[in-house]
Structures are given as structure tokens and as C-alpha cells.
Coordinates of all heavy atoms in Angstrom, one line a residue:
M1 N -34.9 -0.9 9.7 CA -35.4 0.5 9.7 C -36.1 0.7 11.0 O -36.8 -0.1 11.5 CB -36.3 0.6 8.5 CG -36.6 2.0 8.1 SD -37.6 2.2 6.5 CE -38.2 3.9 6.8
A2 N -36.0 2.0 11.4 CA -36.6 2.4 12.7 C -38.1 2.4 12.5 O -38.7 2.7 11.5 CB -36.1 3.8 13.0
N3 N -38.7 2.1 13.6 CA -40.2 2.0 13.6 C -40.8 3.4 13.9 O -41.4 3.5 14.9 CB -40.7 0.9 14.5 CG -42.2 0.7 14.4 OD1 -42.7 0.9 13.4 ND2 -42.8 0.1 15.4
S4 N -40.6 4.3 13.0 CA -41.2 5.7 13.3 C -42.6 5.8 12.7 O -43.0 5.2 11.8 CB -40.2 6.7 12.6 OG -40.2 6.5 11.2
I5 N -43.3 6.6 13.5 CA -44.7 6.8 13.1 C -44.9 8.2 12.5 O -44.5 9.2 13.1 CB -45.6 6.7 14.4 CG1 -45.4 5.3 15.0 CG2 -47.1 6.9 14.0 CD1 -46.0 5.1 16.3
W6 N -45.4 8.3 11.3 CA -45.7 9.5 10.7 C -47.2 9.7 10.6 O -47.9 8.8 10.2 CB -45.1 9.5 9.3 CG -43.6 9.6 9.2 CD1 -42.7 9.6 10.3 CD2 -42.8 9.6 8.0 NE1 -41.5 9.6 9.8 CE2 -41.5 9.6 8.5 CE3 -43.1 9.7 6.7 CZ2 -40.4 9.7 7.6 CZ3 -42.0 9.7 5.8 CH2 -40.7 9.7 6.2
T7 N -47.5 10.9 11.0 CA -49.0 11.2 10.7 C -49.0 12.6 10.0 O -48.2 13.5 10.2 CB -49.7 11.4 12.1 OG1 -49.0 12.2 13.0 CG2 -49.9 10.0 12.8
I8 N -50.1 12.7 9.3 CA -50.3 14.0 8.5 C -51.3 14.8 9.3 O -52.3 14.4 9.8 CB -50.9 13.7 7.1 CG1 -50.1 12.7 6.3 CG2 -51.1 15.0 6.4 CD1 -48.8 13.3 5.8
E9 N -50.9 16.1 9.6 CA -51.8 17.0 10.3 C -52.0 18.2 9.4 O -51.2 18.6 8.6 CB -51.1 17.4 11.6 CG -50.9 16.3 12.5 CD -50.8 16.7 14.0 OE1 -50.9 17.9 14.3 OE2 -50.5 15.7 14.8
E10 N -53.2 18.8 9.7 CA -53.6 19.9 8.9 C -53.5 21.2 9.7 O -53.9 21.2 11.0 CB -55.1 19.8 8.4 CG -55.2 18.9 7.2 CD -56.6 18.9 6.6 OE1 -57.2 20.0 6.5 OE2 -57.1 17.9 6.3
F11 N -53.1 22.3 9.1 CA -53.1 23.6 9.8 C -53.7 24.6 8.9 O -53.6 24.5 7.7 CB -51.6 23.9 10.1 CG -50.9 22.9 11.0 CD1 -50.2 21.8 10.4 CD2 -51.0 23.0 12.4 CE1 -49.6 20.9 11.2 CE2 -50.4 22.1 13.2 CZ -49.7 21.1 12.6
T12 N -54.2 25.6 9.6 CA -54.8 26.8 8.8 C -54.0 28.0 9.2 O -53.9 28.3 10.5 CB -56.3 26.9 9.1 OG1 -56.9 25.7 8.7 CG2 -56.8 28.1 8.2
C13 N -53.5 28.8 8.3 CA -52.9 30.0 8.6 C -53.8 31.0 9.3 O -54.9 31.3 8.7 CB -52.3 30.6 7.3 SG -51.5 32.2 7.6
P14 N -53.5 31.5 10.4 CA -54.4 32.5 11.1 C -54.4 33.8 10.4 O -55.3 34.6 10.6 CB -53.7 32.6 12.5 CG -52.3 32.3 12.3 CD -52.3 31.3 11.2
G15 N -53.4 34.1 9.6 CA -53.4 35.4 8.9 C -54.2 35.4 7.6 O -55.0 36.4 7.4
C16 N -54.1 34.5 6.7 CA -54.8 34.5 5.5 C -55.7 33.3 5.2 O -56.4 33.2 4.2 CB -53.8 34.6 4.3 SG -52.7 33.1 4.1
G17 N -55.7 32.4 6.1 CA -56.6 31.2 6.0 C -56.1 30.1 5.0 O -56.9 29.2 4.8
M18 N -54.9 30.2 4.6 CA -54.3 29.2 3.7 C -54.2 27.9 4.6 O -53.8 27.9 5.7 CB -52.9 29.7 3.2 CG -52.4 28.8 2.2 SD -53.2 28.9 0.6 CE -52.6 27.4 -0.2
N19 N -54.5 26.8 3.9 CA -54.4 25.5 4.6 C -53.1 24.8 4.2 O -52.7 24.9 3.0 CB -55.6 24.6 4.2 CG -56.8 25.1 4.8 OD1 -57.0 25.1 6.0 ND2 -57.8 25.6 4.0
Y20 N -52.5 24.2 5.2 CA -51.3 23.4 4.9 C -51.4 22.1 5.6 O -52.1 21.9 6.6 CB -50.1 24.1 5.6 CG -49.8 25.5 4.9 CD1 -50.3 26.6 5.4 CD2 -48.8 25.5 3.9 CE1 -50.0 27.8 4.8 CE2 -48.5 26.7 3.3 CZ -49.1 27.9 3.7 OH -48.7 29.0 3.1
T21 N -50.7 21.2 5.0 CA -50.5 19.9 5.7 C -49.1 19.7 5.9 O -48.2 20.2 5.2 CB -51.1 18.7 4.8 OG1 -50.3 18.6 3.6 CG2 -52.5 18.8 4.6
A22 N -48.8 19.0 7.1 CA -47.4 18.7 7.4 C -47.3 17.3 7.9 O -48.3 16.8 8.5 CB -46.8 19.7 8.4
T23 N -46.2 16.7 7.7 CA -46.0 15.3 8.3 C -45.4 15.5 9.7 O -44.3 16.1 9.8 CB -45.1 14.5 7.3 OG1 -45.7 14.5 6.1 CG2 -45.0 13.1 7.9
K24 N -46.0 14.9 10.6 CA -45.5 14.8 12.0 C -44.7 13.6 12.3 O -45.2 12.5 12.0 CB -46.6 15.0 13.0 CG -46.2 15.1 14.5 CD -47.4 15.1 15.4 CE -46.9 15.1 16.8 NZ -48.1 15.0 17.7
E25 N -43.5 13.7 12.7 CA -42.7 12.5 13.0 C -42.3 12.5 14.5 O -41.8 13.5 15.0 CB -41.4 12.5 12.1 CG -40.6 11.3 12.3 CD -39.3 11.3 11.4 OE1 -38.8 12.4 11.2 OE2 -38.8 10.3 11.0
D26 N -42.5 11.4 15.1 CA -42.1 11.3 16.5 C -40.6 11.1 16.7 O -40.1 10.3 15.9 CB -42.9 10.2 17.2 CG -44.4 10.5 17.4 OD1 -44.7 11.7 17.5 OD2 -45.2 9.6 17.5
H27 N -40.0 11.8 17.6 CA -38.6 11.6 17.9 C -38.3 11.3 19.3 O -39.2 11.7 20.2 CB -37.9 12.9 17.5 CG -37.7 13.2 16.0 ND1 -36.5 12.9 15.4 CD2 -38.5 13.6 15.1 CE1 -36.6 13.2 14.1 NE2 -37.9 13.6 13.9
T28 N -37.2 10.7 19.6 CA -36.9 10.5 21.0 C -36.2 11.7 21.6 O -36.1 11.9 22.7 CB -35.9 9.3 21.1 OG1 -34.9 9.4 20.2 CG2 -36.7 8.0 20.8
E29 N -35.7 12.6 20.7 CA -35.0 13.8 21.1 C -36.0 15.0 21.0 O -36.9 15.0 20.2 CB -33.7 14.0 20.3 CG -32.7 13.0 20.6 CD -31.5 13.2 19.6 OE1 -31.5 14.1 18.8 OE2 -30.6 12.4 19.7
Q30 N -35.7 16.0 21.7 CA -36.5 17.3 21.6 C -36.2 18.0 20.3 O -35.0 18.1 19.9 CB -36.1 18.2 22.8 CG -36.6 17.7 24.1 CD -37.9 18.3 24.5 OE1 -38.4 19.2 23.8 NE2 -38.5 18.0 25.7
H31 N -37.3 18.5 19.7 CA -37.1 19.3 18.6 C -38.0 20.6 18.8 O -39.0 20.5 19.4 CB -37.6 18.6 17.3 CG -36.6 17.6 16.8 ND1 -35.6 17.9 15.8 CD2 -36.4 16.3 17.1 CE1 -34.9 16.9 15.6 NE2 -35.3 15.8 16.3
S32 N -37.6 21.6 18.1 CA -38.4 22.8 18.1 C -38.3 23.5 16.8 O -37.3 23.4 16.1 CB -38.1 23.8 19.3 OG -36.8 24.3 19.1
G33 N -39.4 24.1 16.4 CA -39.3 24.8 15.1 C -40.6 25.5 14.8 O -41.5 25.6 15.7
S34 N -40.6 26.2 13.7 CA -41.9 26.9 13.4 C -42.0 26.9 11.8 O -41.0 26.8 11.1 CB -41.8 28.4 13.9 OG -40.8 29.1 13.3
F35 N -43.2 27.1 11.4 CA -43.5 27.2 10.0 C -44.2 28.5 9.7 O -45.2 28.8 10.3 CB -44.2 26.0 9.5 CG -44.6 26.1 8.0 CD1 -43.6 25.9 7.1 CD2 -45.9 26.5 7.7 CE1 -44.0 26.0 5.7 CE2 -46.2 26.6 6.3 CZ -45.3 26.4 5.3
K36 N -43.7 29.2 8.7 CA -44.3 30.5 8.3 C -45.0 30.4 7.0 O -44.6 29.7 6.1 CB -43.3 31.6 8.2 CG -42.9 32.2 9.6 CD -41.9 33.4 9.4 CE -41.5 33.9 10.8 NZ -40.5 35.0 10.6
C37 N -46.1 31.0 6.9 CA -46.9 31.0 5.7 C -46.2 31.6 4.6 O -45.6 32.7 4.7 CB -48.3 31.8 5.9 SG -49.4 31.9 4.5
S38 N -46.3 30.9 3.4 CA -45.6 31.4 2.2 C -46.4 32.6 1.5 O -45.9 33.2 0.7 CB -45.3 30.3 1.2 OG -46.6 29.7 0.9
I39 N -47.6 32.7 2.0 CA -48.5 33.8 1.4 C -48.3 35.1 2.2 O -48.0 36.1 1.6 CB -50.0 33.4 1.4 CG1 -50.1 32.0 0.8 CG2 -50.8 34.4 0.6 CD1 -49.9 31.9 -0.7
C40 N -48.5 35.1 3.5 CA -48.6 36.2 4.2 C -47.5 36.3 5.2 O -47.3 37.3 6.0 CB -49.9 36.4 4.9 SG -50.2 35.2 6.3
N41 N -46.6 35.3 5.3 CA -45.5 35.3 6.2 C -45.9 35.2 7.7 O -45.0 35.4 8.6 CB -44.5 36.4 6.0 CG -43.1 36.1 6.3 OD1 -42.6 34.9 6.0 ND2 -42.3 37.0 6.8
G42 N -47.1 34.9 8.0 CA -47.5 34.7 9.4 C -47.1 33.3 9.9 O -46.9 32.4 9.1
V43 N -47.0 33.2 11.2 CA -46.6 31.9 11.7 C -47.8 31.0 11.8 O -48.8 31.3 12.4 CB -46.1 32.1 13.2 CG1 -45.7 30.8 13.8 CG2 -44.8 33.0 13.1
V44 N -47.7 29.9 11.1 CA -48.8 28.9 11.0 C -48.8 28.0 12.2 O -49.8 27.7 12.8 CB -48.8 28.2 9.7 CG1 -49.9 27.1 9.6 CG2 -48.9 29.1 8.5
H45 N -47.6 27.6 12.6 CA -47.5 26.7 13.6 C -46.0 26.7 14.2 O -45.1 26.8 13.5 CB -47.8 25.2 13.2 CG -47.9 24.2 14.3 ND1 -48.7 24.3 15.3 CD2 -47.1 23.1 14.5 CE1 -48.6 23.3 16.1 NE2 -47.6 22.5 15.7
T46 N -46.0 26.6 15.6 CA -44.7 26.4 16.2 C -44.8 25.2 17.1 O -45.9 24.8 17.6 CB -44.3 27.6 17.1 OG1 -45.4 27.8 18.1 CG2 -44.2 28.9 16.3
W47 N -43.7 24.5 17.3 CA -43.8 23.3 18.0 C -42.4 23.1 18.8 O -41.4 23.6 18.4 CB -44.0 22.1 17.1 CG -42.9 21.8 16.1 CD1 -41.8 21.0 16.3 CD2 -42.7 22.4 14.8 NE1 -41.0 21.0 15.2 CE2 -41.6 21.8 14.3 CE3 -43.5 23.3 14.0 CZ2 -41.1 22.2 13.0 CZ3 -43.0 23.6 12.8 CH2 -41.8 23.0 12.3
S48 N -42.5 22.4 19.8 CA -41.3 21.9 20.6 C -41.7 20.7 21.4 O -42.8 20.6 21.9 CB -40.8 23.0 21.5 OG -41.6 23.2 22.6
G49 N -40.9 19.7 21.4 CA -41.2 18.5 22.1 C -40.6 17.4 21.3 O -39.6 17.5 20.5
H50 N -41.1 16.2 21.6 CA -40.5 15.0 21.0 C -41.1 14.7 19.7 O -41.6 13.6 19.4 CB -40.7 13.8 22.0 CG -40.0 14.0 23.3 ND1 -38.6 13.6 23.4 CD2 -40.3 14.5 24.4 CE1 -38.2 13.9 24.6 NE2 -39.2 14.5 25.3
H51 N -41.2 15.7 18.9 CA -41.7 15.5 17.5 C -41.2 16.6 16.6 O -40.7 17.6 17.1 CB -43.2 15.4 17.5 CG -43.9 16.6 18.2 ND1 -44.2 16.7 19.5 CD2 -44.2 17.8 17.7 CE1 -44.8 17.9 19.8 NE2 -44.8 18.6 18.7
H52 N -41.4 16.4 15.3 CA -40.9 17.3 14.3 C -41.9 17.3 13.2 O -42.5 16.3 12.9 CB -39.5 16.9 13.9 CG -38.8 18.0 13.1 ND1 -38.5 19.2 13.7 CD2 -38.4 18.1 11.8 CE1 -37.9 20.0 12.8 NE2 -37.8 19.3 11.6
F53 N -42.0 18.5 12.6 CA -42.9 18.6 11.4 C -42.1 18.9 10.2 O -41.2 19.7 10.2 CB -44.0 19.7 11.6 CG -45.0 19.4 12.6 CD1 -44.9 19.8 13.9 CD2 -46.2 18.7 12.2 CE1 -45.9 19.5 14.9 CE2 -47.2 18.4 13.1 CZ -47.0 18.8 14.4
F54 N -42.4 18.2 9.1 CA -41.7 18.5 7.9 C -42.7 18.2 6.7 O -43.8 17.8 6.9 CB -40.5 17.6 7.8 CG -40.8 16.1 7.6 CD1 -40.8 15.5 6.3 CD2 -41.0 15.3 8.7 CE1 -41.1 14.2 6.2 CE2 -41.3 14.0 8.6 CZ -41.3 13.4 7.3
G55 N -42.2 18.6 5.5 CA -43.0 18.3 4.3 C -44.2 19.3 4.2 O -45.3 18.8 3.9
W56 N -44.0 20.5 4.6 CA -45.2 21.4 4.6 C -45.7 21.7 3.2 O -44.9 21.9 2.3 CB -44.7 22.8 5.2 CG -44.6 22.6 6.7 CD1 -43.5 22.3 7.4 CD2 -45.6 22.9 7.7 NE1 -43.7 22.3 8.7 CE2 -45.0 22.7 8.9 CE3 -46.9 23.3 7.6 CZ2 -45.7 22.8 10.1 CZ3 -47.7 23.4 8.8 CH2 -47.0 23.2 10.0
T57 N -46.9 21.4 3.0 CA -47.5 21.6 1.7 C -48.7 22.4 1.7 O -49.6 22.2 2.6 CB -47.9 20.2 1.1 OG1 -46.7 19.3 1.2 CG2 -48.3 20.3 -0.4
A58 N -48.9 23.4 0.8 CA -50.1 24.2 0.7 C -51.2 23.4 0.1 O -51.0 22.6 -0.8 CB -49.8 25.5 -0.1
V59 N -52.4 23.5 0.7 CA -53.6 22.8 0.2 C -54.5 23.8 -0.4 O -55.0 24.7 0.3 CB -54.3 22.1 1.4 CG1 -55.4 21.2 0.8 CG2 -53.3 21.1 2.1
K60 N -54.8 23.7 -1.7 CA -55.7 24.6 -2.3 C -57.1 23.9 -2.5 O -57.4 23.5 -3.6 CB -55.2 25.1 -3.6 CG -53.9 25.9 -3.4 CD -53.2 26.2 -4.7 CE -51.9 26.9 -4.4 NZ -51.1 27.0 -5.6
T61 N -57.8 23.7 -1.5 CA -59.1 23.1 -1.6 C -60.3 24.1 -1.5 O -61.3 23.8 -2.0 CB -59.3 22.0 -0.5 OG1 -59.1 22.7 0.8 CG2 -58.3 20.9 -0.7
R62 N -60.0 25.2 -0.9 CA -61.2 26.2 -0.7 C -61.0 27.3 -1.6 O -59.8 27.9 -1.8 CB -61.2 26.6 0.7 CG -61.5 25.5 1.7 CD -61.8 26.1 3.0 NE -62.2 25.0 4.0 CZ -61.3 24.4 4.8 NH1 -60.1 24.7 4.8 NH2 -61.8 23.5 5.6
P63 N -62.0 27.9 -2.2 CA -61.9 29.1 -3.0 C -61.6 30.2 -2.1 O -61.8 30.2 -0.9 CB -63.3 29.2 -3.6 CG -64.2 28.5 -2.7 CD -63.4 27.3 -2.1
P64 N -60.9 31.3 -2.7 CA -60.4 32.4 -2.0 C -61.5 33.1 -1.1 O -61.2 33.5 0.0 CB -59.9 33.4 -3.1 CG -59.7 32.6 -4.2 CD -60.7 31.4 -4.1
V65 N -62.7 33.1 -1.5 CA -63.8 33.8 -0.8 C -64.0 33.1 0.5 O -64.2 33.6 1.6 CB -65.1 33.9 -1.6 CG1 -66.3 34.4 -0.8 CG2 -64.9 34.6 -2.9
F66 N -64.1 31.7 0.4 CA -64.3 30.9 1.6 C -63.0 31.1 2.6 O -63.2 31.2 3.8 CB -64.4 29.5 1.2 CG -65.1 28.6 2.3 CD1 -66.4 28.6 2.4 CD2 -64.3 27.9 3.2 CE1 -67.0 27.8 3.4 CE2 -64.9 27.2 4.2 CZ -66.2 27.1 4.3
G67 N -61.9 31.2 2.0 CA -60.7 31.4 2.8 C -60.7 32.7 3.6 O -60.3 32.7 4.7
R68 N -61.3 33.7 3.0 CA -61.4 35.0 3.6 C -62.3 34.8 4.9 O -61.9 35.4 5.9 CB -62.1 36.0 2.7 CG -61.1 36.7 1.9 CD -61.4 38.2 2.0 NE -61.2 39.0 0.7 CZ -62.2 39.4 0.1 NH1 -63.5 39.2 0.5 NH2 -62.0 40.0 -1.1
R69 N -63.3 34.1 4.8 CA -64.2 33.9 5.9 C -63.4 33.3 7.1 O -63.7 33.6 8.2 CB -65.4 33.0 5.5 CG -66.7 33.7 5.5 CD -67.8 32.7 5.3 NE -68.2 32.1 6.5 CZ -68.8 30.8 6.5 NH1 -68.9 30.2 5.4 NH2 -69.1 30.3 7.6
W70 N -62.6 32.4 6.7 CA -61.8 31.7 7.8 C -60.8 32.6 8.5 O -60.5 32.4 9.7 CB -61.1 30.5 7.1 CG -61.9 29.3 7.1 CD1 -62.9 29.1 6.3 CD2 -61.7 28.1 7.9 NE1 -63.5 27.8 6.5 CE2 -62.7 27.2 7.5 CE3 -60.8 27.8 8.9 CZ2 -62.9 26.0 8.1 CZ3 -61.0 26.5 9.6 CH2 -62.0 25.7 9.1
A71 N -60.4 33.6 7.7 CA -59.5 34.6 8.3 C -60.2 35.6 9.1 O -59.6 36.3 9.9 CB -58.7 35.2 7.2
G72 N -61.6 35.6 9.0 CA -62.4 36.6 9.5 C -62.1 37.3 10.8 O -62.7 37.1 11.9
V73 N -61.2 38.2 10.8 CA -60.8 39.0 11.9 C -61.4 40.4 11.9 O -61.2 41.2 12.7 CB -59.3 39.1 12.2 CG1 -58.8 37.8 12.9 CG2 -58.6 39.3 10.9
E74 N -62.1 40.7 10.7 CA -62.7 42.1 10.6 C -64.1 42.0 11.2 O -65.0 41.5 10.6 CB -62.8 42.4 9.1 CG -61.4 42.5 8.5 CD -61.5 42.7 7.0 OE1 -62.5 43.4 6.5 OE2 -60.7 42.1 6.2
W75 N -64.2 42.6 12.3 CA -65.6 42.6 13.0 C -66.3 43.8 12.7 O -65.9 44.9 12.8 CB -65.4 42.4 14.5 CG -64.9 41.0 14.8 CD1 -63.6 40.7 15.0 CD2 -65.6 39.8 15.0 NE1 -63.5 39.3 15.2 CE2 -64.7 38.8 15.3 CE3 -67.0 39.6 14.9 CZ2 -65.1 37.5 15.4 CZ3 -67.4 38.3 15.1 CH2 -66.5 37.3 15.4
Ligands
ZN101 ZN1 -51.0 33.2 5.6

């Protein structure tokens, strides 16, 4: 089996503050892609390089009120 390294990374949607985790896998070849939020359809993360992200999972750890604060673009 290939000696691939997987790491879990966390991302926060800039649109609605939803948190996601994704598994990052290192590749020898170039990959590019993007992940869109399933709530607000905003782009959570885009990547290109010698890695790939998969297994996107929504994390529901924060109550909605707290999530709003994270989205805080209303000044
Ligand atoms: Zn969102």
C-alpha cells in the first residue's frame, strides 16, 4: 500500500460561518478543485497543487448565534 499521508483540516465558510472538515491527501500529481458550502453555496475553499481534499463533512459544534458572529460582515 502506498505510504500516503492524510491530514484533517478545518475550514469555515466565509458566507454563513458553517464549519467543515476535509481530509487532505498528498499527491505526486497536480490537482485542483473547490468546495462549495451546502448551506449558502459560497466557496469555502479552493485548492491547486500536489494535494487533494475529499470527505467534506459539516461540523455542527457551534450554535447558530455564534456562527453568525463568525460571518460578521455587517458593520
Ligand atoms: Zn456557507
Side-chain angles (χ1 to χ4, degrees):
M1 196 172 160
N3 189 23
S4 59
I5 300 167
W6 290 1
T7 51
I8 307 285
E9 296 201 4
E10 279 186 46
F11 300 92
T12 302
C13 175
C16 67
M18 188 70 194
N19 289 297
Y20 292 92
T21 61
T23 306
K24 182 186 180 185
E25 184 182 28
D26 288 334
H27 283 260
T28 53
E29 294 173 359
Q30 289 263 359
H31 282 268
S32 64
S34 63
F35 175 77
K36 282 185 179 177
C37 179
S38 59
I39 309 290
C40 70
N41 211 35
V43 177
V44 177
H45 187 59
T46 59
W47 65 93
S48 71
H50 295 273
H51 54 268
H52 193 63
F53 288 94
F54 66 96
W56 289 88
T57 309
V59 184
K60 292 169 186 172
T61 53
R62 295 188 178 95
V65 177
F66 199 85
R68 270 232 219 106
R69 246 186 84 210
W70 273 71
V73 277
E74 296 172 38
W75 292 94

